[in-house]
Amino acid sequence: MRRILIPLVTVSLLALGGCATDQRKDALTTTLNAYASTVRWGDFNAALQFVDPKVRDAHPIPPLEMARYQQYKVSGYDDGNGPVPNGQFEVHQTVQINLINVNTQHERSVTDHQTWHYDETSKHWYLESGLPDISQQ
């Protein structure tokens, strides 16, 4: 009986580990798609909710800076090749965001280097790099 039990437990643990990986991957895909959609609609207040709460608390965005996001409409969001894993619980993604200044109608592009981290406790992916820097020239 013991000969059968040990391999059975080992296979079960490996299968559960695979399930956790699949759940993380599915959660990442869902989170990145939701974030992209939110930014495409130009809703930076909602996009701020994707930022890790610890990062938001440590580096709050002043109201004037949040108001600056309202000066732009997003005309493009290109995530290129998608996320690149950096270990089990972190991915990096480089995104090109096209912005149109609503006052001047001038369009420009900014590069957003995103770092996403998986929180095992909440089973949620959080953006650690913060909102895109729209002050880039």
Side-chain angles (χ1 to χ4, degrees):
M1 177 75 172
R2 189 172 175 162
R3 279 188 197 159
I4 295 172
L5 187 58
I6 291 173
L8 184 61
V9 169
T10 303
V11 168
S12 297
L13 288 174
L14 289 174
L16 286 176
C19 290
T21 301
D22 288 345
Q23 288 174 344
R24 270 196 315 272
K25 185 178 178 184
D26 290 346
L28 175 64
T29 301
T30 301
T31 301
L32 291 179
N33 288 340
Y35 179 76
S37 179
T38 301
V39 172
R40 280 186 183 107
W41 281 102
D43 190 352
F44 289 100
N45 287 320
L48 187 58
Q49 300 310 306
F50 288 85
V51 176
D52 189 325
K54 295 173 199 157
V55 173
R56 283 195 315 251
D57 291 344
H59 307 284
I61 299 176
L64 180 61
E65 191 169 331
M66 282 306 294
R68 196 168 288 136
Y69 284 100
Q70 304 310 312
Q71 292 180 357
Y72 294 93
K73 296 293 180 193
V74 176
S75 61
Y77 184 97
D78 182 9
D79 57 10
N81 296 326
V84 177
N86 184 28
Q88 259 188 328
F89 303 107
E90 185 175 284
V91 296
H92 296 280
Q93 178 170 256
T94 301
V95 176
Q96 286 297 124
I97 303 172
N98 296 333
L99 302 167
I100 298 174
N101 184 310
V102 296
N103 299 315
T104 64
Q105 294 301 301
H106 180 264
E107 183 177 28
R108 64 190 179 90
S109 180
V110 296
T111 302
D112 185 25
H113 299 282
Q114 301 171 356
T115 300
W116 293 86
H117 180 76
Y118 185 74
D119 180 48
E120 288 188 275
T121 306
S122 67
K123 307 278 189 240
H124 194 277
W125 285 93
Y126 288 109
L127 181 61
E128 291 204 336
S129 52
L131 293 180
D133 180 7
I134 61 171
S135 66
Q136 298 176 37
Q137 292 298 334

